[in-house]
Amino acid sequence: MTKTKTLDRWGYEPFNDGTSQSLETGGWCVKCTGYKKSKIRLLILHFFCLTCCGVPYLFLNWYPQYRAKLGYRRTQLQLADFVLIKQSKMLKNMVESVSNEFVTIIDEYGVNQIINSKELVPGDIILIPPQGCSMMCDALLLTGTCIVNESVLTGESVPVTKVPALHVDEYYEPTGNHAKHTLYCGTHVIQTRYYNHDKVTALVVRTATMTAKGQLIRSIIFPKIFGFDFYRDAIKFVVVMFLISSVGVAYSLYLFISRGAGLETVLLRSLDIVTIVVPPALPAAMTVGTIYSQNRLKKVGIFCTSPPRINVAGKVKLVCFDKTGTLTEEGLRVWGVLMSDGHSILEEEEKPCNFPIMSPILHAMASCHSLTKIDGKLCGDPLDLSMFDSTDWDIEEPGNETNRFDQLAPTVVKPRGWQFVNVPLEIGIVRQFHFSSNIQCMSVITRTLGARNMTLYTKGAPEKILKMCLPSTIPENISSSLAYYTTAGYRVIAIAYKQLPKTFKWLHSQRVMREQVEYELIFLGLLILQNTLKPQSAPVIKQLQNARIKCLMLTGDNILTAVSVSRNCGLVAPSTPLSQVIVTATAPRTIKLQPLHSSSERTETDASSALVIDGNTWAELSEFFPGLLPQVATRGVVFARMSPQQKAEVVETLQSLDYIVAMVGDGANDCGALKAAHIGISLSTAEASIAAPFTSNTPDVTCVPKLITEGRCALVTNFGLFNFMMLYSLIQFSSVLILYIDAIEIGTIEFLYVDLVITTSLAVVMGRSEPSPRLVPQRPLSSLISLSNLIPLILQVILAVTIQYASLDLLRGEPWFVPVEKLEGDETAVQCWENTAVFLVSCYQYVILAVVYCRGRPHRQPIYSNGLFMGTVTLLVVFNTILLVIPFHEVTNFFELEAFFFNHTLKFRLILLCLVGVNLVISLLIEVKLVNPNISESFKKLISVIRISRLRWLEHVQMMSEDRILKRLKDCTPVGKRKSWTENKMVGSDW
């Protein structure tokens, strides 16, 4: 059979087998070679065209958008980097401030050598210069006296006098009994004073990270790591979604393999399930609420270096406040003085300088203190400063500041502006008994110029001073007066004195013990002081307490001052009794609870009593009674005289009890606690901001409720967005599997519309919800796997799948419906009625879920306040309704949907709308009625009831079996000598 050759339109024979032939073109003969068709070359050609044309198209269309997004992210990262770099530099400067100095040491031959402070080792003896210095190590003072500013450790800018250590045989405790002999690293020696021109020397005991400042820096660099339920549960959820996707992959493999599809189709359709169930945009969606909250915080002057902490702030259950600079202004103010006439308390005098010039109470206020002048400025305890300034007297110290101990002449106080005819009124302070926290008082022995005897003046806690006074001098109404002013939050100091005998000479005053003179005193009156609160402190604490957020105080200040401030700011209610925790010093060590502002002691207290504790007692509890620390921490409200390390220990103890703890401070002594707390808030841009993830430009505590409300808003928003993304993926997963059964798949345009238009736009605008203006007692959920979240989530999925199946059942019941033909192999249908119904219903379901998870109260403003979200929802609903009710022909073709005609599909369209309405109502009911934090408690109670019933049933079975055994052993074992199982069980056990 002869094969006929086919000629093309030009009369030439086509060839593509690689052979060649000649073509006659007039006077020319052109030799042409054919080529074989190759699929690989065709793919390469398509790829080349796509690269040359597609990439420029994408670049021109998408580059401006991505450039804007990348610019925004770069700005955010630059801001975070700027804050982190600033913190790193401040931390480096904080470390290097004491590491690059030179110091003079005395070697074993008594020769002075100058070395770098980095070369110091324990055992070296260093010289403290007269002009002062910054301590580069912890050292024990050997000779001389130093006046030190320890604000870096205590937060109180009060000069502290350090005296040489005594030659005693006892263990050295740098933070305990020997703190008054220890110079701490990082503190600033303001001035040194010495005897007989001797050098001021100190023995190095700790260096580098073992020093007080080194431990502080170490706690900043290496804080305690903590986790948060939301992030842990999110990872668990993703793992579960992967497991669900594996089930879907297995089912789709079964469907396509049984249908005879090719390997490429089977793999592509199966792997599509993974990207559907685990959406790639999930991590970004989880941070949308946090980003918006961070921007709002920045506008109100609160800067954040760790955005994930914003979510943690929403679960804060306890807030620790520093006192000085945080709750209060600097210093104390004298409110008035209550004098005693021996029988009753007189009316208060607001200005003590108005007292008669020879009044004993005026002399006591002018002399009973430990003030000193440094560079011509009066320095000392704020209480003493305020008391002395109110008298309008002056103080004179003899000699130069650095060699005043060489002078036998005492410090003298005298009134200003008074002219005396014969002998001027001058009171010399002969001996000082410094304030002791154990006896809570201080005394001075003085001698007035021209007087024949000395006088003892004493001030301190009223309950201690009253024990020292003669009963006949104590007013009858002292108890009522004390109760009135202490419950009002004032700091009350009692003042007393007595005339010493004429035989009591100067030598006696230097050798006498304070216990030998502090008795049989004459009560003079009460000094009323007020630690000025910042006006914002009390309202903020009340707001937090109304929201059932516990507040307590961590301070390095005096315990009585801290209690007074806590009363003033409302941290402790006036009716709440306070008991101080005391550990006995002698063995066997026991714990006592001593009520404050009371003359009696008791060893136990009722449940309404709050605890007050100081740093020394906390250290003793940590050493001898560590098991009681959680109880003390939960019932304590005032923690005074706490070191930076002890503040961090209190925070960590509270964290171990499942408290989400926030710490608010402004000094370097708060850095350890700020770093250890879940939420650290610094009210200054100095050292405290190094450790705190949050820094407020406003130096008051109003930032605390703002941060908590934003944290709650961010947590609820991220929680809702996570649930929305999970349900969106599960609904799309169910839609795909339902259609896969009939060899139907969702079209590419439909996928893009759902993923880019509906889901992305809703996720972005859902995060714009603003926080509620008030704090409520109910805290938001943080656990994604709690029953309160899982049950509504499962019900929402069941509801969505039910609605989709219902739409298909209604579709199949229509007389005009023609099902899609069964397809085999790689073929799948897209444009059909089944796909149209399921797709349109699912589009509404995504919008419904966004509305459900964007509800406002109680932690966010109402949903209608988010205008952008409401506008987006309205546009999507309108467009979805157009697709369902009156679709244009071009639109249906673009989305690959079946066209709806008014003649016979109107009823079905309205039924689908009603079905969507039913879905909306039921979804709202599920979210409103079932999302309740108490639902998990109800299930726990149900489980406990089941367990109790089971144990009772086991007990009954055990008793029946025991009775049978007893009947068998009746002959050999007397029943009366045998104890039953029920008699041996633990009495009072909870069955």
Side-chain angles (χ1 to χ4, degrees):
M1 182 177 179
T2 305
K3 186 177 180 180
T4 305
K5 295 183 178 180
T6 304
L7 302 178
D8 60 8
R9 58 181 296 187
W10 306 109
Y12 298 111
E13 177 184 351
F15 59 99
N16 55 8
D17 56 355
T19 60
S20 61
Q21 68 178 14
S22 299
L23 300 178
E24 298 293 339
T25 56
W28 298 90
C29 180
V30 181
K31 186 177 181 180
C32 299
T33 303
Y35 63 90
K36 292 182 178 181
K37 290 184 178 179
S38 175
K39 292 184 177 180
I40 297 178
R41 292 182 179 179
L42 187 62
L43 291 175
I44 294 175
L45 180 62
H46 288 176
F47 176 77
F48 179 76
C49 295
L50 180 63
T51 305
C52 294
C53 301
V55 172
Y57 173 79
L58 295 177
F59 180 82
L60 293 175
N61 284 272
W62 291 359
Y63 176 73
Q65 302 177 16
Y66 277 94
R67 182 180 180 183
K69 293 180 180 179
L70 290 175
Y72 173 76
R73 294 299 300 170
R74 184 175 61 184
T75 303
Q76 297 292 320
L77 292 174
Q78 286 177 347
L79 177 62
D81 288 343
F82 172 76
V83 177
L84 292 175
I85 292 173
K86 181 180 178 181
Q87 289 183 340
S88 300
K89 289 182 178 179
M90 293 175 65
L91 183 60
K92 182 180 179 181
N93 294 334
M94 187 177 180
V95 175
E96 291 183 347
S97 61
V98 295
S99 60
N100 290 328
E101 294 186 0
F102 290 89
V103 60
T104 302
I105 67 170
I106 304 176
D107 61 14
E108 61 270 20
Y109 304 106
V111 180
N112 295 347
Q113 293 185 7
I114 299 177
I115 64 172
N116 193 291
S117 59
K118 295 180 180 179
E119 301 176 10
L120 285 175
V121 294
D124 287 339
I125 297 178
I126 60 175
L127 294 179
I128 310 298
Q131 68 274 14
C133 64
S134 293
M135 290 301 300
M136 65 296 297
C137 60
D138 287 356
L140 177 66
L141 191 60
L142 299 178
T143 59
T145 304
C146 295
I147 299 176
V148 186
N149 183 355
E150 294 184 339
S151 60
V152 70
L153 298 179
T154 64
E156 309 297 326
S157 300
V158 178
V160 179
T161 301
K162 301 289 184 175
V163 297
L166 303 176
H167 295 280
V168 293
D169 186 12
E170 59 185 15
Y171 288 104
Y172 173 62
E173 298 178 359
T175 58
N177 297 330
H178 303 98
K180 59 183 177 181
H181 312 307
T182 305
L183 303 173
Y184 297 107
C185 178
T187 60
H188 182 66
V189 179
I190 302 174
Q191 193 178 86
T192 61
R193 295 178 179 179
Y194 46 83
Y195 294 92
N196 196 25
H197 300 283
D198 290 337
K199 299 175 181 179
V200 179
T201 60
L203 176 68
V204 177
V205 294
R206 295 187 300 188
T207 60
T209 58
M210 299 305 296
T211 63
K213 188 172 184 179
Q215 294 177 2
L216 174 62
I217 295 174
R218 186 168 54 184
S219 66
I220 297 173
I221 300 176
F222 306 106
K224 185 177 179 180
I225 300 175
F226 67 93
F228 189 52
D229 293 342
F230 179 73
Y231 301 113
R232 288 195 299 258
D233 295 346
I235 296 175
K236 296 177 183 178
F237 240 101
V238 172
V239 173
V240 172
M241 298 301 287
F242 268 111
L243 296 177
I244 295 175
S245 67
S246 63
V247 175
V249 168
Y251 183 65
S252 62
L253 285 173
Y254 166 75
L255 289 178
F256 283 96
I257 291 175
S258 62
R259 199 175 293 134
L263 179 61
E264 182 180 358
T265 302
V266 171
L267 292 178
L268 288 177
R269 295 296 175 264
S270 300
L271 293 178
D272 280 345
I273 300 296
V274 179
T275 60
I276 290 173
V277 178
V278 185
L282 181 61
M286 290 176 58
T287 61
V288 170
T290 304
I291 292 174
Y292 282 119
S293 293
Q294 185 180 9
N295 292 334
R296 287 193 294 265
L297 288 173
K298 181 182 176 182
K299 292 179 181 178
V300 296
I302 302 174
F303 299 93
C304 175
T305 59
S306 179
R309 298 286 184 106
I310 298 177
N311 288 332
V312 184
K315 291 291 289 184
V316 167
K317 192 177 181 180
L318 186 146
V319 181
C320 303
F321 292 97
D322 181 39
K323 183 185 73 67
T324 306
T326 302
L327 294 176
T328 67
E329 305 288 353
E330 298 289 341
L332 288 166
R333 183 179 67 87
V334 173
W335 185 84
V337 178
L338 302 176
M339 286 189 62
S340 170
D341 60 359
H343 302 285
S344 62
I345 293 292
L346 304 178
E347 293 185 0
E348 68 274 1
E349 174 60 54
E350 295 183 2
K351 296 182 178 181
C353 58
N354 294 334
F355 285 133
I357 194 63
M358 299 303 296
S359 173
I361 194 170
L362 181 63
H363 294 178
M365 295 175 61
S367 59
C368 192
H369 54 73
S370 56
L371 301 177
T372 185
K373 283 187 177 181
I374 301 176
D375 296 332
K377 183 179 180 181
L378 200 61
C379 299
D381 187 271
L383 187 151
D384 292 343
L385 281 172
S386 180
M387 179 185 68
F388 184 77
D389 289 340
S390 65
T391 61
D392 198 23
W393 282 43
D394 198 4
I395 184 172
E396 290 183 357
E397 294 179 299
N400 297 325
E401 292 184 359
T402 57
N403 63 349
R404 282 173 181 162
F405 294 152
D406 289 340
Q407 308 294 326
L408 293 178
T411 299
V412 174
V413 293
K414 58 183 181 180
R416 298 174 184 168
W418 283 80
Q419 299 292 333
F420 297 91
V421 178
N422 297 322
V423 180
L425 178 58
E426 294 182 355
I427 301 176
I429 303 175
V430 179
R431 173 82 181 275
Q432 290 181 348
F433 298 105
H434 292 280
F435 177 82
S436 172
S437 58
N438 294 328
I439 59 176
Q440 298 181 355
C441 69
M442 78 160 293
S443 300
V444 293
I445 298 177
T446 66
R447 185 161 191 171
T448 304
L449 184 62
R452 297 183 178 181
N453 56 350
M454 296 185 181
T455 307
L456 174 76
Y457 294 105
T458 304
K459 67 177 173 65
E463 60 269 21
K464 297 297 181 181
I465 299 298
L466 292 176
K467 292 180 181 180
M468 302 176 184
C469 294
L470 295 170
S472 59
T473 64
I474 299 176
E476 297 177 356
N477 60 342
I478 184 66
S479 298
S480 59
S481 298
L482 276 175
Y484 173 78
Y485 287 102
T486 54
T487 54
Y490 292 100
R491 174 79 182 275
V492 181
I493 301 296
I495 301 175
Y497 87 114
K498 81 170 183 179
Q499 297 289 342
L500 298 175
K502 296 180 180 179
T503 57
F504 191 87
K505 303 300 181 181
W506 184 88
L507 186 60
H508 296 113
S509 67
Q510 302 303 314
R511 295 182 177 181
V512 70
M513 304 293 291
R514 63 188 306 169
E515 295 82 3
Q516 297 174 345
V517 292
E518 291 178 341
Y519 69 97
E520 295 183 354
L521 306 180
I522 299 174
F523 183 78
L524 291 176
L526 299 174
L527 175 64
I528 312 298
L529 300 107
Q530 186 178 23
N531 198 178
T532 306
L533 278 174
K534 292 182 178 180
Q536 302 86 359
S537 299
V540 167
I541 290 179
K542 183 178 180 181
Q543 184 180 2
L544 295 176
Q545 291 175 340
N546 291 338
R548 296 181 184 176
I549 298 175
K550 184 179 179 180
C551 301
L552 55 85
M553 183 186 295
L554 291 177
T555 179
D557 202 356
N558 179 271
I559 191 169
L560 296 178
T561 304
V563 170
S564 174
V565 172
S566 66
R567 295 280 192 188
N568 279 339
C569 65
L571 195 144
V572 179
S575 59
T576 301
L578 290 176
S579 298
Q580 182 178 357
V581 182
I582 297 176
V583 178
T584 57
T586 58
R589 292 180 177 268
T590 58
I591 299 176
K592 292 184 178 181
L593 299 181
Q594 177 181 342
L596 293 179
H597 307 297
S598 174
S599 60
S600 62
E601 290 190 2
R602 58 184 180 185
T603 57
E604 56 183 351
T605 182
D606 55 9
S608 63
S609 178
L611 300 183
V612 179
I613 187 171
D614 60 9
N616 292 333
T617 305
W618 178 267
E620 292 173 348
L621 286 176
S622 302
E623 182 178 359
F624 300 106
F625 305 97
L628 293 178
L629 288 180
Q631 301 180 28
V632 173
T634 52
R635 293 188 56 183
V637 291
V638 175
F639 297 80
R641 292 297 185 196
M642 304 294 286
S643 67
Q645 184 64 26
Q646 289 173 336
K647 289 184 178 183
E649 290 175 1
V650 173
V651 170
E652 291 174 358
T653 302
L654 293 169
Q655 289 175 333
S656 66
L657 302 174
D658 293 334
Y659 280 99
I660 303 296
V661 182
M663 174 68 194
V664 188
D666 68 329
N669 63 313
D670 302 316
C671 290
L674 290 172
K675 197 69 174 181
H678 295 99
I679 304 298
I681 308 173
S682 170
L683 301 186
S684 72
T685 57
E687 292 93 344
S689 63
I690 300 173
F694 296 94
T695 303
S696 174
N697 282 345
T698 306
D700 56 56
V701 294
T702 53
C703 60
V704 178
K706 293 178 183 178
L707 178 58
I708 295 177
T709 53
E710 282 291 354
R712 291 184 174 186
C713 177
L715 182 58
V716 172
T717 300
N718 292 333
F719 207 94
L721 279 169
F722 186 90
N723 287 339
F724 170 72
M725 297 298 292
M726 287 292 100
L727 287 176
Y728 138 71
S729 61
L730 290 175
I731 291 173
Q732 196 173 63
F733 170 69
S734 65
S735 303
V736 170
L737 288 186
I738 290 172
L739 296 177
Y740 272 3
I741 297 174
D742 296 326
I744 304 171
E745 65 177 6
I746 299 177
T748 304
I749 301 300
E750 295 171 349
F751 270 122
L752 292 175
Y753 174 67
V754 171
D755 294 341
L756 296 182
V757 179
I758 296 181
T759 307
T760 304
S761 61
L762 289 175
V764 170
V765 296
M766 282 176 67
R768 295 181 63 88
S769 299
E770 296 187 355
S772 173
R774 61 183 292 267
L775 285 173
V776 296
Q778 178 186 349
R779 293 188 300 155
L781 291 174
S782 63
S783 178
L784 292 167
I785 60 175
S786 64
L787 293 177
S788 301
N789 184 59
L790 287 179
I791 293 176
L793 204 66
I794 295 172
L795 292 178
Q796 294 284 6
V797 174
I798 294 174
L799 174 63
V801 175
T802 303
I803 294 295
Q804 291 181 8
Y805 267 110
S807 64
L808 286 178
D809 288 340
L810 292 173
L811 176 65
R812 295 186 179 110
E814 292 294 328
W816 47 264
F817 170 69
V818 178
V820 67
E821 296 181 359
K822 292 291 184 181
L823 302 175
E824 299 294 336
D826 295 340
E827 296 182 358
T828 54
V830 176
Q831 191 166 1
C832 60
W833 285 107
E834 292 89 341
N835 178 28
T836 302
V838 172
F839 170 72
L840 290 176
V841 169
S842 65
C843 288
Y844 280 103
Q845 288 177 333
Y846 303 135
V847 180
I848 289 172
L849 290 175
V851 173
V852 167
Y853 286 108
C854 198
R855 67 190 185 99
R857 294 184 178 91
H859 304 298
R860 294 186 293 184
Q861 292 188 5
I863 187 173
Y864 55 79
S865 63
N866 190 348
L868 195 57
F869 174 77
M870 295 302 296
T872 304
V873 168
T874 303
L875 290 176
L876 291 176
V877 170
V878 170
F879 187 76
N880 291 340
T881 306
I882 291 174
L883 286 179
L884 176 62
V885 180
I886 48 173
F888 301 102
H889 184 68
E890 293 80 6
V891 175
T892 55
N893 287 337
F894 180 75
F895 281 93
E896 298 181 277
L897 301 175
E898 288 288 348
F900 286 91
F901 298 98
F902 286 91
N903 52 359
H904 56 277
T905 61
L906 178 61
K907 178 182 176 182
F908 178 69
R909 286 183 275 121
L910 296 178
I911 291 175
L912 284 184
L913 277 179
C914 294
L915 203 61
V916 169
V918 172
N919 192 347
L920 173 63
V921 173
I922 298 178
S923 295
L924 290 174
L925 289 176
I926 291 174
E927 183 67 17
V928 173
K929 297 298 181 181
L930 293 182
V931 177
N932 188 350
N934 297 325
I935 189 172
S936 58
E937 298 296 331
S938 302
F939 275 91
K940 289 180 181 178
K941 292 180 181 178
L942 178 61
I943 293 173
S944 64
V945 170
I946 296 174
R947 288 178 177 174
I948 291 172
S949 302
R950 178 176 175 272
L951 289 173
R952 286 178 176 173
W953 180 79
L954 290 175
E955 180 185 4
H956 178 68
V957 172
Q958 183 74 13
M959 291 176 64
M960 292 180 63
S961 62
E962 184 181 357
D963 290 340
R964 288 196 297 268
I965 295 173
L966 288 175
K967 288 180 181 178
R968 294 179 182 178
L969 301 177
K970 184 176 181 181
D971 297 334
C972 59
T973 304
V975 178
K977 295 182 180 181
R978 179 183 177 88
K979 289 186 178 181
S980 65
W981 179 83
T982 55
E983 292 175 347
N984 286 327
K985 67 183 180 180
M986 185 179 294
V987 178
S989 59
D990 187 7
W991 293 96

